[in-house]
Amino acid sequence: GCVLVVSVIEQLAQWHNSTVKAAVERLCNYIPGKYQIIRHMLRYIDKEMNADVVCHSLKLCKQDPGQPLCHLYPPPKERAQSVSRLLKPHIPEEQQSVMKCFMGFSSVCAFPPLANLCEKIKYVLRTKLPFEDFDGDKFSTFPTLRGYHWRGRDCDDKNTTVYPGRRPDNWDVKSDSNCNGIWGVDPKDGIPYEEKFCKGADSQGVILLGDSAGAHFHIPPEWMTVTQMSAKSFANLPMAFTDELDWPQFSEITGFLNSTIGGWTDSLYLRLRRRNRCNHRDLQNISQNGGSSGNLLYLIKSLARNQLLDNPAIVIYATIGNDVCNGNRDTLAHMTTPKEMLSNVVQALRYLDSHLPNGSHVILTGLVDGRFLWDNLHDRYHPLGQLNKDITYSQLYSFLDCLQVSPCSGWLTSNETLRNLTSERALQLSNVLKEIARSEKFANFDTFYMDFPLRQTAEEWHKMGGEPWQLIEPVDGFHPSQIAAALGTSITWQKALREWPQVLGKENPFNDQIEAIFKDQGGH
């Protein structure tokens, strides 16, 4: 983190031909007030030192005994001193006092302006439930902190029997019990609108059980690209921070808002809603950064579905990488085995069988072939390296791997043999999912399997004139981009129409009438 921030400050000074102190002030003026911890941290950067040197001198980076020296930039070329000595220069007394002040905070969350916010974030990280949920029904009227960006928006947060996805209470004659905006009685014939428009309409929700790809992890490149940087660049920082740097409101499965991060939004939820307007707001994105078949067994307990009161749901089970991805040096030893995958997924499906209403569907998604990442990015410049043409994705991957914080040591590596072995294990785990879908039977849902459609997505994007690297998030060089998410939706939908039309339900012939009558109540 220190190396990234110092790099941005030094490049700001270069781009604007200013002092480092002026660059720090410029960046701090861009960032919303309570997030300005960097002003306290980096006031005395020396722009003659690269970011690795600065962060070692601040003691925010260190070399553990017996471990290699990790650096993003090439080490200073001086023969008289060792590299490790160069990365531990003398710290001026004035800078030491600032450093001591900063190091007095054991973490960013100990910094007073952020302490309260961090407590809220810790709560949602622990529970995966909305922080603002006054009636305890797992739905919220607040967007972030696991609120309605993640689950359909509650329309009465003081009544635990009112929430998205439930079957209407007495056909919603007097109020909107399922938050789909349809309620009341048609004065022409006395028939409740819910009964007239939604009875027998195969209403169903969409639920994602997934990882950071499903949660739609994204770090805006303008946060690190000084040629594009302005106060506007960081306007979304508070929202991003309280959504764990995820953007589920634009995601492939549960997206519902127009994308503000490039590309466009197309999601399974939006397509189901267009097919049947009665499905409005019935979505849940139960994903987490680092989600795998193992930790999903805990995450799944935040599911909100009542077998007796709620509509059926389409559940997408998609942990597309973390069962083979980790940051360990002996990465192969830490990958999920086929036996563990079988046990984890079957346990999750049994839990779903005890919570999903009858008539639900589960789609198991195979793991991605992550060799695509290295093949298309390794020799391209990262956003941090574009100004001076000095940092490629290969360098970034090596830096993260050295720190043992790589999102995927098996794929983000120059070692072709390791990349192939990682893909081999991913294929084995996908085959486990395929066999589960073929052989396991459950009382309340049927089960399907589909490969992760990376190849088809790349082919479709190529036809549209795009380049493969544009399908990958530019800052982390690992996650699917907004474009990839939108194209993936289209491919998944077409497959379902061809092979499992029963999963999608039928078209509601009353959609236009619903929109005409309830157009003012259709907001998310």
Side-chain angles (χ1 to χ4, degrees):
C2 177
V3 169
L4 296 179
V5 173
V6 173
S7 296
V8 167
I9 290 172
E10 293 187 336
Q11 289 184 27
L12 270 174
Q14 177 185 346
W15 181 247
H16 294 280
N17 194 24
S18 73
T19 64
V20 168
K21 183 178 180 182
V24 171
E25 291 304 312
R26 183 185 298 274
L27 183 57
C28 286
N29 289 333
Y30 289 163
I31 294 174
K34 66 170 139 183
Y35 298 85
Q36 293 185 8
I37 188 170
I38 59 169
R39 174 176 275 128
H40 300 265
M41 167 182 162
L42 297 168
R43 191 173 294 162
Y44 297 101
I45 299 172
D46 178 352
K47 71 175 176 181
E48 299 306 316
M49 301 191 293
N50 71 36
D52 295 312
V53 175
V54 170
C55 292
H56 276 270
S57 72
L58 286 171
K59 298 189 178 176
L60 292 173
C61 294
K62 62 185 188 332
Q63 180 182 11
D64 291 330
Q67 297 297 321
L69 184 70
C70 302
H71 52 89
L72 181 59
Y73 296 87
K77 295 177 181 177
E78 305 226 4
R79 297 178 184 175
Q81 297 170 295
S82 69
V83 169
S84 61
R85 175 71 184 273
L86 279 165
L87 290 184
K88 296 173 186 175
H90 172 70
I91 307 167
E93 189 174 335
E94 189 179 21
Q95 188 172 327
Q96 286 187 42
S97 65
V98 174
M99 185 187 75
K100 287 175 183 174
C101 172
F102 176 73
M103 296 304 286
F105 301 121
S106 58
S107 70
V108 170
C109 288
F111 187 61
L114 298 181
N116 184 46
L117 181 59
C118 281
E119 286 306 310
K120 294 180 181 180
I121 292 173
K122 286 176 185 176
Y123 171 84
V124 298
L125 288 175
R126 185 172 65 251
T127 65
K128 304 304 176 188
L129 295 173
F131 184 80
E132 304 280 355
D133 178 18
F134 297 107
D135 56 13
D137 60 7
K138 300 183 180 178
F139 295 91
S140 177
T141 59
F142 188 76
T144 62
L145 293 168
R146 292 277 165 168
Y148 69 76
H149 281 173
W150 300 81
R151 301 164 187 254
R153 185 172 183 168
D154 203 342
C155 51
D156 185 349
D157 207 20
K158 296 178 181 176
N159 187 340
T160 190
T161 66
V162 174
Y163 54 85
R166 66 158 293 166
R167 294 191 177 100
D169 180 19
N170 191 29
W171 292 115
D172 283 357
V173 169
K174 294 185 178 179
S175 63
D176 187 9
S177 66
N178 57 15
C179 302
N180 68 359
I182 304 169
W183 65 282
V185 175
D186 189 337
K188 296 175 185 175
D189 52 24
I191 299 175
Y193 287 116
E194 267 276 6
E195 183 178 5
K196 176 179 284 192
F197 296 145
C198 302
K199 185 178 181 180
D202 294 343
S203 297
Q204 58 186 340
V206 59
I207 299 169
L208 172 66
L209 299 173
D211 50 24
S212 52
H216 205 32
F217 185 88
H218 167 79
I219 298 174
E222 57 269 23
W223 289 4
M224 296 189 182
T225 310
V226 298
T227 55
Q228 303 171 14
M229 196 174 291
S230 67
K232 187 179 177 182
S233 305
F234 293 93
N236 53 17
L237 178 64
M239 182 182 71
F241 190 42
T242 49
D243 265 337
E244 304 158 45
L245 293 178
D246 295 321
W247 307 72
Q249 69 272 31
F250 308 140
S251 64
E252 179 176 348
I253 304 299
T254 64
F256 61 89
L257 294 177
N258 291 331
S259 171
T260 60
I261 57 174
W264 64 98
T265 302
D266 188 6
S267 71
L268 180 58
Y269 162 73
L270 283 176
R271 289 184 177 233
L272 286 170
R273 184 185 181 278
R274 283 199 294 271
R275 194 172 181 83
N276 179 6
R277 172 61 177 74
C278 300
N279 293 330
H280 181 59
R281 291 195 190 179
D282 195 357
L283 62 99
Q284 295 180 56
N285 191 314
I286 302 176
S287 302
Q288 70 176 14
N289 300 334
S292 66
S293 67
N295 57 38
L296 212 60
L297 295 174
Y298 172 76
L299 184 65
I300 200 172
K301 294 176 183 176
S302 65
L303 172 74
R305 214 67 178 179
N306 185 304
Q307 270 189 322
L308 300 178
L309 296 178
D310 297 351
N311 286 319
I314 301 173
V315 177
I316 310 295
Y317 184 103
T319 56
I320 65 169
N322 288 318
D323 283 284
V324 297
C325 284
N326 58 75
N328 294 289
R329 297 251 160 80
D330 53 343
T331 182
L332 293 170
H334 289 82
M335 293 179 184
T336 301
T337 65
K339 183 177 180 181
E340 290 168 339
M341 190 74 171
L342 176 63
S343 174
N344 292 339
V345 177
V346 170
Q347 283 184 69
L349 293 176
R350 286 173 182 163
Y351 183 90
L352 290 174
D353 202 29
S354 65
H355 287 76
L356 292 178
N358 191 260
S360 295
H361 311 280
V362 175
I363 299 173
L364 303 176
T365 305
L367 280 71
V368 70
D369 185 349
R371 288 176 293 192
F372 185 88
L373 301 169
W374 178 268
D375 291 347
N376 290 288
L377 279 186
H378 75 276
D379 56 355
R380 295 189 61 82
Y381 289 112
H382 184 267
L384 273 179
Q386 287 174 6
L387 181 64
N388 295 311
K389 302 291 185 277
D390 57 351
I391 300 174
T392 62
Y393 283 94
S394 175
Q395 287 169 260
L396 176 72
Y397 295 157
S398 296
F399 179 54
L400 297 177
D401 192 50
C402 179
L403 292 170
Q404 298 185 60
V405 296
S406 171
C408 197
S409 293
W411 276 325
L412 307 184
T413 175
S414 59
N415 185 331
E416 184 179 7
T417 300
L418 184 54
R419 297 200 304 271
N420 290 338
L421 288 171
T422 303
S423 289
E424 186 179 309
R425 175 62 61 87
L427 180 60
Q428 291 171 358
L429 300 185
S430 294
N431 287 335
V432 169
L433 295 171
K434 194 180 296 186
E435 178 59 23
I436 290 172
R438 188 192 68 80
S439 61
E440 297 284 341
K441 305 299 177 188
F442 299 90
N444 290 307
F445 56 82
D446 45 12
T447 312
F448 304 89
Y449 170 83
M450 70 173 288
D451 290 320
F452 186 83
L454 178 59
R455 180 181 57 79
Q456 300 96 310
T457 300
E459 289 173 356
E460 190 65 28
W461 184 231
H462 180 70
K463 290 177 191 173
M464 295 168 68
E467 297 288 342
W469 57 266
Q470 294 169 312
L471 299 174
I472 307 167
E473 275 293 314
V475 172
D476 62 62
F478 179 63
H479 292 93
S481 69
Q482 184 67 35
I483 294 169
L487 290 175
T489 296
S490 176
I491 292 164
T492 300
W493 184 263
Q494 293 305 320
K495 178 180 176 66
L497 281 176
R498 286 193 312 271
E499 299 180 20
W500 332 306
Q502 73 275 22
V503 171
L504 304 178
K506 56 195 178 192
E507 285 255 19
N508 190 329
F510 300 109
N511 282 337
D512 290 342
Q513 289 176 256
I514 296 170
E515 287 296 342
I517 296 171
F518 297 102
K519 61 180 181 294
D520 294 330
Q521 300 180 45
H524 285 90

